[in-house]
Every structure is written in C-alpha cells, then in structure tokens.
Amino acid sequence: MADLRINLAGIQSPNPFWLASAPPTNTGYQVQRAFEAGWGGAVWKTLGDPIINTSARFAAVNFNGQRVAGFNNIELITDRPLEVNLKEIAETKKRFPDRAVIASLMVEPKQEKWHEIVKRVEDVGVDGLELNFGCPHGMAERGMGAASGQQPDLVEAQTYWVKEVARTPVIVKLTPNITDITVVARHAVKGGADAISMINTINSLAGVDIHTWNTIPHVGGKGAHGGYCGPAVKPIALNMVAECARNPEVGVPISGIGGISTWQDVVEFMLMGATGIQVCTAAMHHGFRIVEDMIDGLCNYLDDKGLSSVTELIGQSVSRYSNWGDLNLNYKVVARINTDKCINCNKCHIACEDTSHQCIDMLTGADGKAFLEVREEDCVGCNLCSIVCPAEGAIEMVEVDSGLTPMTWNERQKEIAKLNGIYSQAEVV
C-alpha cells in the first residue's frame, strides 16, 4: 500500500485529508470523532473573540436533482469562549498525538492582538496556525477576514506580526474574492508565511424564495450575502491553487480547499500543486466516514499508477498549466460519432446547430435508419457535442493532423513583429 503521509511546511500528517475550519471542527467532540473515522488532520473552527451567530444560517443550491451542488452559509467564527476551545484542543492533541491539529485564528489587525492569541494557542500544543483572511461576511464588516485579505499590505503585515512570536508553522488562508490571488499570496510569503491555504468561501446569495420574496436563508425576513462552497466552486479553487503553484514568487506549500468531495478531487488538487487538502461541505453532507472511501480510493489509485507515496503526485500537472498565449493554435481535434453507441437523442445536433458551428448532419442510411455524422472539415473541435451527449462513448474527440507547424499566439505575434521590422527597413532603403 502506498504511503499517504504528508509534510506541509513541517506539519506532519498520516494522510492528506484534513477537515477545514468550519462547523465540523467546532468542538473537541467533533474533531475526535473525525480522527476516529480516519481524518489525518483538522483545522479548528476559527478562534477569536466569541461572536453571536444567527438562526438560520445555512442554505444549499440543488441542481438537476443533485442535493447540495453548492452550499452557502452566513455563520461566523467560534461562538464559544477561547478558554473552552483551548482546553478541548489540548485534550484532542493528547488523545491523537499523530494527527495534525491546526488552530485557525482571526483577530483585529493589531500587532498586540495577534501576539496575545498566538501565544495562548501555541501553549496548548497545536501543530500549526492558520490565519483566516478569507471569511467574506460578518467578520469582514468588522475589518477582519476578507476585509484584511483583500489588502495585500495588510496580509503581509499581519503575517509578519504572527511570525514574530510563532513557534509553529504559519499557514495563511486566502480569500477568492479578489482579482488576482497570487498578489495576496506573494505578500503572505513576504510576511513570512510557511504555507498558504485556499480558497475560502466566495461571496454569494443562495437564492430568493419566489413565493415569500425572502432571501435564502433569511433571518426574520432579512438576508445578507454569505460564503459559497461545495462542489460548484471546485473549478475556481483548482485554478487559484494552480496559479499560485506555478508562480515562482509564491513558492510555499499549498493546502487546497474548495469543493473537494472525492478521492479523484484530491488527486486533481495535488497534481495542480497542493501538498494536502481540506474538506468541509462533503463532510457536512455525508458525515465523517466519507474519509474511508477517500482513503481507499486514493490508495488504489496510487497502487494502479505504481506510486509508492502520495507526495509523488504533488505538482505533476503544474507545468501543463499555462497562459492562453502559449497554446498551440495549430493543434486540432474533431468530433467523431460512434453510431453503435449513439442513442439518437439528437442533443449533439441541436447544440451544434443552434449554438456552435453547424457541422453535424442528420442523415438516412441505406436501411432507412437515421444517423448523425460530423463534417470533420467544418468541425472546430470545441467539445460541445461530447459535453451534452448523455451516452457514454458515443462521441469521441480525436486528434487529427492539421498539416501545420505548431505555433502559439505569442510566437505568431513575434513573427509578425519581425516581418513588420523587415518591411519597415525595406521601405527606408
């Protein structure tokens, strides 16, 4: 069996599966239950000055019969006294010394506040700290969370203040509610961050009840924007992890968060540069025992790939993630329809005819049966037909020889500039 152990900036864990700082890590009872189920680590629900949470506070976005395709919450940081949390952290670490226990922290952007809470938390034996600069609601209105995380210089300063006194590794949790996450990531590293985690939740409104006209959720008829997470945010999170992983000015380990529900998601995040991952919504939807399937699936995958350690996955796909201008414009694929597997639903024809390039013909064979065929000379290889097709294997995207030398947009622009220079010189002569 492959070795699942990871080391995130000096934080050891028996596997890469951590629970994110959220409702599942609110108490020692919960975290200990999670460790009994097999989770390798947990980031304790954010500590700070206790707040009062609302009722109601959660909402879900269901799509096409799938429950909780997205999840929205307006819950804030811990509503329990710091002393109670610290006592339970110490008890949990004593019971599970081999598991990673990380304290998520949020206080006002003042040096003395950070110094005080870091010292108190580290005294109970945590393995690391995660600075919450991502919470998009409630705390942001008080100048914390995303309000700090959206200001690169403030992220750098607060990280520096923590590093002045911290004895354990410091992870900085980044907000996705920003134009370029790598800017903030670089400033976190400048401040001394040992690692970064991403993404925190995205500003959102789950919906509006069209019968009562109340927002979803609502608190006595009033609503507010919340934080969006769950499977729907995975593509956004994966991109941001990849952008930071391929940026040489970041260069610290990444804890990947955002829509991770299966072992396949874990593999994707690690291939794109994450050293480990954090899960929240999937655990809330299905319970702590989902980690058993995730561990089994990951182990089987590594064995099938002939890999001895999960760390061999880290960053293997980063070099394949580039900018649009570096893509080969002369690479060509076309769609081919396997009539044996086609169920003649015509969804591909409709999609292509109405919204793409009108290159799928409806024909009739010698036997009088209708069939679909792609005019490959007109197909641009957009993939739409294969995406909407409900029959597995009925449409395949096949690489074909374009007869052209590989050339990217950037290379093309250089060639044009070179030719323009030659023509200009000729005109002068």
Side-chain angles (χ1 to χ4, degrees), residues 13 24 30 72 76 86 109 115 135 139 151 176 204 286 303 312 320 331 344 347 376 386:
S13 175
Q30 292 170 278
N72 173 278
L76 305 183
L86 294 181
H115 283 190
C135 183
M139 306 309 296
Q151 300 184 55
S204 62
H286 303 293
D303 290 343
E312 295 178 58
R320 304 187 185 198
Y331 174 78
N344 293 313
K347 287 189 71 70
E376 293 188 7
S386 65

Side-chain angles (χ1 to χ4, degrees), residues 328-343:
N328 177 15
L329 298 179
N330 292 332
Y331 174 78
K332 185 172 177 59
V333 295
V334 297
R336 287 184 185 163
I337 299 174
N338 184 336
T339 55
D340 292 333
K341 296 184 177 181
C342 176
I343 61 174

Side-chain angles (χ1 to χ4, degrees), residues 178-306:
I178 195 165
T179 304
D180 184 352
I181 199 167
T182 65
V183 173
V184 182
R186 294 199 306 270
H187 277 268
V189 173
K190 287 181 182 178
D194 300 295
I196 52 177
S197 60
M198 67 188 82
I199 58 174
N200 208 311
T201 53
I202 302 170
N203 283 335
S204 62
L205 172 62
V208 180
D209 187 322
I210 62 174
H211 303 293
T212 66
W213 298 2
N214 279 328
T215 61
I216 304 173
H218 72 89
V219 180
K222 291 286 187 180
H225 79 271
Y228 196 51
C229 54
V233 311
K234 176 191 160 188
I236 298 167
L238 199 57
N239 166 66
M240 291 186 172
V241 166
E243 289 294 342
C244 288
R246 74 188 185 102
N247 190 309
E249 294 183 48
V250 177
V252 295
I254 298 171
S255 182
I257 315 169
I260 298 170
S261 305
T262 67
W263 67 263
Q264 292 95 330
D265 296 333
V266 176
V267 172
E268 290 184 59
F269 271 78
M270 296 189 76
L271 287 174
M272 292 311 306
T275 296
I277 58 88
Q278 297 182 34
V279 174
C280 170
T281 305
M284 295 180 73
H285 192 184
H286 303 293
F288 290 148
R289 309 230 59 108
I290 62 165
V291 76
E292 296 173 356
D293 290 338
M294 297 172 85
I295 289 173
D296 288 344
L298 182 58
C299 285
N300 291 335
Y301 173 81
L302 294 172
D303 290 343
D304 289 344
K305 288 291 184 181

